[in-house]
Amino acid sequence: MTDTSTVTDEAAGLRSKNRQRFEIIAAVLLGLATVSIAWGSYQANLWGGLQDKALTESALLSTDAASEYAEAGAIISLDQTLFVEVFLLLEQPGADEDATLDTGEYITSNMSEQGEAAVNEWYDSDREGFPFTDEYYQSFYAAGDEIIEESDAKFEEGSKNNTTGDKYVLVSTILASVLFFAGISTVLQTDRVKRVLLGGGVVLWLGAAIYIATLPIASL
């Protein structure tokens, strides 16, 4: 009778120790999952802020580029208008040549530096073709094109930041399921089901932890 009682006590003690170990593992998993979720949420918020910052900078750069293009268009329009006056002046029949040249030089002096150089080159080439070449236009639009490239780069940066933030949100969602598995495993009575749930939670947490370790880290 004593032997049977001793065996029973030992079995009960073993079950108690196993239950304690199980609860400790579950508690540790709950803690790790909670900390991981907090980290994922923190990073998701930071990446969201970086996304907003990059997209805002992209929009501001686009506005600057539009201003550059508008200014370039105004200068080009003025150059072309003044060129028409020079052309009509030179083509005017019976005009005094010296006076015409003086007037033409005065008109071209009111052009942009690029426009004046283009018209002078046109005049020296016996007035062939049109003075305003692709190089002329590009000299004005280059600044705007450069700003547009910066704007596109910032927009792409914002898109990447958004994708990274979404990945952290996904990881946090997976980790939330770890909390569910670990939490419910502590209240069930069937040992097999409890072990399966806790084991599944551990596997999910390890997978999420490995994945989150591959993600870039944002900082303030």
Side-chain angles (χ1 to χ4, degrees):
M1 187 73 176
T2 304
D3 292 339
T4 303
S5 176
T6 301
V7 172
T8 303
D9 292 341
E10 289 178 353
L14 180 60
R15 285 195 299 270
S16 178
K17 289 181 180 179
N18 289 336
R19 184 168 55 253
Q20 288 177 357
R21 283 196 293 266
F22 183 90
E23 291 175 351
I24 290 173
I25 294 173
V28 170
L29 183 60
L30 285 169
L32 291 174
T34 301
V35 172
S36 300
I37 289 174
W39 172 253
S41 300
Y42 172 69
Q43 284 295 310
N45 287 331
L46 286 183
W47 284 106
L50 292 176
Q51 173 200 356
D52 293 340
K53 179 182 177 182
L55 294 180
T56 299
E57 290 177 356
S58 176
L60 292 175
L61 287 169
S62 295
T63 302
D64 292 341
S67 299
E68 288 287 344
Y69 285 138
E71 183 178 351
I75 294 174
I76 291 171
S77 178
L78 177 60
D79 284 349
Q80 291 178 344
T81 299
L82 294 177
F83 167 70
V84 170
E85 294 185 15
V86 172
F87 180 81
L88 294 176
L89 184 65
L90 293 174
E91 295 298 319
Q92 183 178 1
D96 181 82
E97 183 175 354
D98 291 337
T100 298
L101 290 176
D102 290 340
T103 304
E105 289 178 358
Y106 173 76
I107 294 175
T108 56
S109 67
N110 289 282
M111 293 181 175
S112 66
E113 182 180 344
Q114 297 91 325
E116 184 177 4
V119 172
N120 289 336
E121 184 178 350
W122 169 81
Y123 184 82
D124 294 338
S125 63
D126 297 328
R127 308 176 194 175
E128 293 181 359
F130 192 67
F132 305 117
T133 62
D134 291 341
E135 290 76 10
Y136 164 82
Y137 291 111
Q138 188 58 29
S139 66
F140 290 104
Y141 292 134
D145 291 343
E146 184 177 346
I147 296 176
I148 282 294
E149 291 180 0
E150 294 178 12
S151 175
D152 291 341
K154 282 295 180 181
F155 185 85
E156 181 65 22
E157 179 184 336
S159 297
K160 290 182 179 179
N161 292 341
N162 178 58
T163 300
T164 302
D166 289 343
K167 290 179 180 178
Y168 274 105
V169 171
L170 174 61
V171 172
S172 298
T173 303
I174 295 174
L175 290 168
S177 65
V178 175
L179 290 178
F180 170 77
F181 287 138
I184 199 172
S185 67
T186 60
V187 297
L188 296 177
Q189 299 300 320
T190 306
D191 289 342
R192 184 179 178 183
V193 176
K194 292 169 64 174
R195 293 191 186 97
V196 169
L197 289 174
L198 186 61
V202 171
V203 171
L204 282 176
W205 182 84
L206 287 174
I210 293 172
Y211 181 70
I212 206 171
T214 66
L215 298 177
I217 298 175
S219 59
L220 293 175

